[in-house]
Amino acid sequence: MQATEQADKADSGSRVVLSARGLRRDFAGFVAVKNVDLDIEHGKIHALIGPNGAGKTTVFNLLTRMMPSSAGTISFLGRDITHMSPAAVARLGVVRSFQISAIFPHLTVLDNVRVALQRPNGLAIQFWRSLSALDALTPRADELLALVGLSDARDRLAGDLSYGRKRILEIATTLALDPKALLLDEPMAGMGHEDVGAVAEIIRSIAKDRAVLMVEHNLAVVADLCDRITVLQRGEILAAGDYATVSQDERVRVAYMGTTDD
């Protein structure tokens, strides 16, 4: 049975930043994503959950145009981006992270962020310039490091950070691109309890000024952090709503949540 998400109309002041309608992706006869509707709102944290193979990362790839859709439309702040290139979509402000941390391990924490700041400051194509030419970006880089709690590590090599702090650094470099819609693919995967709590608070803070969509398997985090949840199963939306609503859906409990409630 086809299931699609209906936008929550209760909050009349909400603003949809990133939206998809009838999103579909076929692979040689296999339907990985089927008729998915999503509305990601400014100032809200939206979780995309489901069992392995449900199509969550494929949806991320479709929304950011890293993978072309087979059908459906995608809009960003009311603008159709369905056929735009991934680079054009990122320049508009739709930015994603990946499951595998993407940092420069042999640069300092500060320089990782300064390098990321080059594009929004018009320096990205000036590849011949030395790192010292990035000094003008240091104040903003320091602001971002303070935001994510990495000020104490600014002069350390990124490769020397713990796994959890590397993932936090990746969030800082993603924020350097000044996203209006931030897509986080399993930002807490592999983290210890202490790091999970720190990252959750960072995400809560940065969501005040942008729309956040995240794939996350830690249901305790989802319950505490997310305003809205969309559950995928075999590429289709099984249920959508707040955690209280979704967690009581018997189909969701059977498909995903029932084995992890403890």
Side-chain angles (χ1 to χ4, degrees):
M1 180 177 71
Q2 175 181 327
T4 59
E5 177 182 359
Q6 300 297 319
D8 187 354
K9 303 300 183 183
D11 180 6
S12 59
S14 65
R15 177 166 66 103
V16 174
V17 175
L18 184 63
S19 180
R21 289 293 177 270
L23 205 57
R24 181 183 178 100
R25 175 65 191 188
D26 300 331
F27 292 100
F30 169 70
V31 181
V33 172
K34 182 178 180 182
N35 298 334
V36 166
D37 293 355
L38 283 172
D39 286 319
I40 314 304
E41 299 177 0
H42 178 80
K44 304 290 187 181
I45 303 173
H46 193 133
L48 194 61
I49 71 172
N52 291 334
K56 303 181 297 294
T57 297
T58 301
V59 168
F60 263 38
N61 290 336
L62 296 174
L63 291 174
T64 54
R65 296 290 301 138
M66 298 188 70
M67 178 184 294
S69 56
S70 303
T73 59
I74 307 165
S75 63
F76 174 67
L77 293 174
R79 178 177 180 177
D80 190 337
I81 63 171
T82 309
H83 302 293
M84 284 188 178
S85 69
V89 168
R91 284 194 294 271
L92 286 176
V94 181
V95 179
R96 67 166 293 178
S97 70
F98 295 85
Q99 293 179 17
I100 300 174
S101 182
I103 60 171
F104 297 107
H106 300 299
L107 294 181
T108 66
V109 168
L110 175 67
D111 284 338
N112 266 270
V113 180
R114 293 200 303 176
V115 167
L117 282 166
Q118 287 183 87
R119 178 167 291 282
N121 286 275
L123 301 176
I125 62 172
Q126 301 179 26
F127 56 87
W128 62 87
R129 301 184 71 177
S130 67
L131 284 175
S132 62
L134 302 180
D135 286 345
L137 304 179
T138 299
R140 177 56 180 158
D142 278 329
E143 288 178 4
L144 290 171
L145 290 177
L147 179 64
V148 301
L150 284 178
S151 295
D152 63 318
R154 75 190 293 273
D155 298 317
R156 294 181 59 188
L157 291 179
D160 292 339
L161 297 178
S162 67
Y163 174 77
R165 300 198 95 191
K166 286 176 183 175
R167 298 307 303 266
I168 292 172
L169 174 58
E170 184 184 3
I171 292 175
T173 59
T174 304
L175 290 174
L177 300 176
D178 195 23
K180 297 178 179 67
L182 179 59
L183 283 64
L184 300 172
D185 197 353
E186 299 192 36
M188 302 169 196
M191 288 187 181
H193 178 74
E194 195 170 293
D195 285 332
V196 166
V199 172
E201 288 308 309
I202 290 168
I203 294 172
R204 196 190 309 275
S205 175
I206 64 181
K208 295 175 182 177
D209 301 316
R210 54 187 52 83
V212 174
L213 175 65
M214 58 185 288
V215 169
E216 181 54 52
H217 288 291
N218 188 326
L219 296 183
V221 170
V222 170
D224 179 62
L225 189 61
C226 298
D227 302 289
R228 188 169 180 84
I229 300 164
T230 297
V231 185
L232 288 182
Q233 184 183 38
R234 294 191 290 273
E236 296 185 76
I237 293 179
L238 185 65
D242 60 20
Y243 184 82
T245 300
V246 167
S247 63
Q248 294 304 311
D249 190 306
E250 186 62 26
R251 298 169 302 164
V252 174
R253 297 176 68 86
V254 171
Y256 182 55
M257 301 175 76
T259 59
T260 55
D261 278 344
D262 58 356

